[in-house]
Amino acid sequence: MTSSDDRINYLDHAATTPMRNEVVEKMLPYFTQKFGNPSSLYSMAGEARYALDEAREQIAHVLNSRENEIVFTGSGSESNNTAIKGLAFTREPGKGHIVTTSIEHHAVIHPVEQLEKMGYDATYIGVDNTGRVDPEEFASAVRPDTFLASVMLVNNEIGTIQAVRHIADLTRESGMSCGADVLFHTDAVQAAGKISLDVNELGVDMMSLSGHKIYGPKGVGVLFVRRGVVLEPLISGGGQERDRRSGTENVPLVVGFGEALTLSESERLSTRLRMQRLSDRLVKGIIEKLPEAIIDGERSSHVPEIINVSFQGVEGESILLGLDFKGIAASSGSACSSASVEPSHVLLALGQEPSLAVGSVRFSLGRQTTDEDITDVLKALPLVLKQLRAFPSST
Ligand SMILES: *Cc1c(COP(=O)(O)O)cnc(C)c1O
């Protein structure tokens, strides 16, 4: 904004990412020359159909799945809704139980709450103060009528990685011993490009992904649905996506998704060390310059890219405005409710007092983040806090 060089220091990659040029280039022909409907029979439609198949192949390769286990959706949120409600709607209405966690994204929590209103039951398992779910505790919540378990792979606010494989194994065992047929879903939207998405290593039956968190387009998601799993479609119509999600396929966005996922997977291991180093520098710098700062969670069980820090006695939103004034884009908890400052449900689940949780800021690094960006934050943040504390009512 008013930074001297007019360059925005973008540290909000967990909210969304800029599209990569390679992705844009690959999408462009499908808006104009190759615009055919993949279901039509002439040759131009064949190009669209072929592109759809190619993207499905690319994604199946990264997930170590079959191509027909990949369902394209309109967003990560839609993927989560399809997994959760789509499975619930195959059952006798209002009957059955879901186990999930208290730190899921709202695109999991809200559909589960919707189902609760319809008569389904749900259990939300809490986390320890580092944001980790206890696998034993999670699995012990399974009942004879449990049909779904959902645990996110990487948390979008504090970056905690869950032991999904272990939780899924124990959940399945627990289901078997009480006669429940439990399917396991994971929201892996924040994990893509950061940790392995191999669905067999993870031991999951369903997995959600989103294009715009991996330098791909907004408005496209993927739901991996393991062979044999039957879902009631949320959108019915022409029977596209093997009747699991109707609507003419959004070929350009799907092509962009395939390319974005392939590129982010191919760079995953090589970017990890750099991300770790930048992240360590930021965390260390914050602790040095602002000893009162509380770094949320425990860095060793987190992806390095996501850093959440809480301050007592200031509002996260005010810190953000101060940072924005210095050309730095970050985010505060999950206070998306415009009218009031709501403490993040994730930070409350870690056991934070609401008064501390409202003073939190999230920095999320990305592939273009540099050492200079980190230096900028370490310069700006103490100044912003000093100003806010000197004039506490001026917000
Ligand atoms: C962003 C996000 C979503 C939602 O994805 P959209 O494509 O924006 O709907 C779901 N889960 C997590 C963990 C996310 O970070």
Side-chain angles (χ1 to χ4, degrees):
M1 317 238 70
T2 49
S3 77
S4 52
D5 58 1
D6 270 352
R7 189 182 57 93
I8 298 286
N9 182 353
Y10 184 78
L11 291 171
D12 201 15
H13 292 83
T16 195
T17 55
M19 269 212 270
R20 308 169 65 125
N21 290 332
E22 305 97 303
V23 171
V24 177
E25 291 293 318
K26 188 143 182 198
M27 287 167 66
L28 282 177
Y30 297 94
F31 286 109
T32 51
Q33 302 102 311
K34 305 181 179 181
F35 64 88
N37 184 325
S39 301
S40 304
L41 290 176
Y42 31 80
S43 51
M44 182 185 59
E47 287 177 332
R49 197 159 49 240
Y50 177 79
L52 211 56
D53 289 345
E54 195 197 6
R56 219 184 289 281
E57 239 171 72
Q58 284 180 304
I59 296 160
H61 182 72
V62 173
L63 270 52
N64 190 19
S65 74
R66 298 182 182 84
E67 278 137 46
N68 59 20
E69 292 173 319
I70 303 299
V71 179
F72 291 112
T73 69
S75 62
S77 300
E78 189 189 320
S79 297
N80 285 341
N81 273 263
T82 305
I84 295 163
K85 292 188 226 167
L87 188 62
F89 295 165
T90 61
R91 305 175 57 84
E92 193 184 330
K95 291 264 174 1
H97 173 240
I98 298 170
V99 189
T100 185
T101 81
S102 52
I103 63 160
E104 297 300 308
H105 190 273
H106 283 138
V108 164
I109 293 191
H110 291 163
V112 174
E113 285 174 353
Q114 250 184 317
L115 290 174
E116 284 185 284
K117 284 196 200 124
M118 299 168 71
Y120 298 87
D121 261 346
T123 304
Y124 301 85
I125 303 296
V127 293
D128 64 16
N129 62 2
T130 74
R132 299 263 289 185
V133 175
D134 175 4
E136 312 263 345
E137 184 190 352
F138 188 92
S140 69
V142 170
R143 324 189 303 210
D145 63 341
T146 306
F147 63 93
L148 176 66
S150 184
V151 178
M152 74 200 311
L153 189 47
V154 170
N155 180 270
N156 51 300
E157 288 186 43
I158 55 172
T160 316
I161 306 167
Q162 300 298 341
V164 161
R165 175 60 195 245
H166 190 41
I167 301 172
D169 283 349
L170 294 188
T171 299
R172 214 162 270 126
E173 273 171 36
S174 177
M176 266 192 274
S177 64
C178 70
D181 190 9
V182 192
L183 294 184
F184 200 97
H185 166 256
T186 189
D187 174 344
V189 170
Q190 288 293 344
K194 302 186 184 108
I195 59 181
S196 166
L197 297 178
D198 185 318
V199 291
N200 300 313
E201 273 173 22
L202 289 168
V204 297
D205 302 300
M206 294 188 277
M207 180 164 82
S208 303
L209 298 170
S210 171
H212 74 101
K213 305 284 175 79
I214 51 170
Y215 308 91
K218 293 175 179 60
V220 61
V222 154
L223 181 64
F224 157 76
V225 184
R226 193 175 288 283
R227 185 159 72 171
V229 173
V230 179
L231 299 178
E232 191 63 29
L234 299 190
I235 300 179
S236 36
Q240 288 89 349
E241 296 299 286
R242 301 175 146 242
D243 213 11
R244 291 173 294 192
R245 204 278 192 177
S246 284
T248 301
E249 301 87 342
N250 196 331
V251 179
L253 269 63
V254 161
V255 165
F257 191 111
E259 194 64 14
L261 186 69
T262 300
L263 290 168
S264 67
E265 178 63 18
S266 70
E267 290 175 2
R268 184 165 62 83
L269 296 177
S270 59
T271 52
R272 182 186 284 166
L273 272 180
R274 206 172 68 80
M275 287 299 143
Q276 191 68 57
R277 194 177 55 74
L278 291 172
S279 175
D280 288 349
R281 240 199 91 206
L282 180 59
V283 169
K284 207 164 147 250
I286 292 175
I287 294 171
E288 264 170 31
K289 301 195 172 199
L290 298 159
E292 77 279 20
I294 291 165
I295 306 288
D296 301 304
E298 185 184 74
R299 298 310 304 160
S300 62
S301 58
H302 288 47
V303 294
E305 287 89 344
I306 301 178
I307 297 130
N308 203 87
V309 49
S310 301
F311 297 95
Q312 192 69 257
V314 286
E315 278 184 3
E317 316 251 293
S318 310
I319 303 176
L320 291 189
L321 291 178
L323 289 174
D324 184 34
F325 192 71
K326 294 179 183 303
I328 298 168
S331 161
S332 87
S334 65
C336 338
S337 42
S338 49
S340 63
V341 185
E342 292 281 335
S344 137
H345 68 286
V346 174
L347 296 178
L348 295 182
L350 295 188
Q352 261 188 24
E353 292 298 323
S355 64
L356 180 60
V358 295
S360 77
V361 187
R362 178 186 69 189
F363 298 102
S364 44
L365 318 186
R367 52 190 295 271
Q368 281 151 341
T369 305
T370 61
D371 264 302
E372 193 193 348
D373 294 335
I374 303 296
T375 306
D376 277 356
V377 175
L378 293 176
K379 256 190 233 152
L381 192 58
L383 291 177
V384 169
L385 280 155
K386 200 170 153 194
Q387 262 170 357
L388 288 174
R389 291 197 163 119
F391 308 101
S393 57
S394 70
T395 56

